[in-house]
């Protein structure tokens, strides 16, 4: 994670905590962990990508994804 992505990650953690939301903040999650496809080629394309920050419920369900558009994009 770049320094800029880390700032966004910590900002998301702070906002979740300040608002008392029952969510976890995860960094650099492969999309294959939250999306699926019965087509192996499609899954390979999905699995090779990642989201910068993923908000998940306490049961592990994805709630929101954050993609930071920093200098690397």
């Amino acid at each position: 994670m770049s320094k800029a992505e880390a700032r966004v990650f910590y900002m998301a953690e702070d906002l979740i905590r300040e608002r008392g939301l029952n969510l976890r903040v995860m960094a650099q999650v492969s999309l294959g962990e939250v999306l699926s496809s019965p087509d192996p080629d499609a899954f390979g394309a999905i699995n090779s990508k990642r989201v910068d920050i993923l908000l998940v419920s306490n049961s592990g369900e994805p709630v929101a994804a954050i993609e930071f558009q920093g200098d690397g994009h």
Side-chain angles (χ1 to χ4, degrees), residues 1-2 5-6 9 25-31 33 49-54 66-68 73:
M1 178 177 348
S2 71
E5 289 169 333
F9 176 84
V25 183
M26 312 296 283
Q28 302 295 327
V29 177
S30 167
L31 287 177
E33 296 294 327
K49 308 289 188 250
R50 65 178 185 254
V51 64
D52 292 327
I53 299 166
L54 184 69
I66 300 170
E67 182 65 22
F68 175 67
H73 291 273

Side-chain angles (χ1 to χ4, degrees), residues 41-57:
D41 291 331
F43 181 76
I46 292 167
N47 197 43
S48 67
K49 308 289 188 250
R50 65 178 185 254
V51 64
D52 292 327
I53 299 166
L54 184 69
L55 306 180
V56 297
S57 68

Side-chain angles (χ1 to χ4, degrees), residues 13-25:
E13 281 191 323
D14 290 344
L15 289 170
I16 295 297
R17 188 174 27 258
E18 287 170 9
R19 286 166 174 73
L21 300 174
N22 223 1
L23 300 173
R24 306 282 313 244
V25 183

Side-chain angles (χ1 to χ4, degrees), residues 61-72:
E61 295 296 318
V63 174
I66 300 170
E67 182 65 22
F68 175 67
Q69 298 296 319
D71 293 336

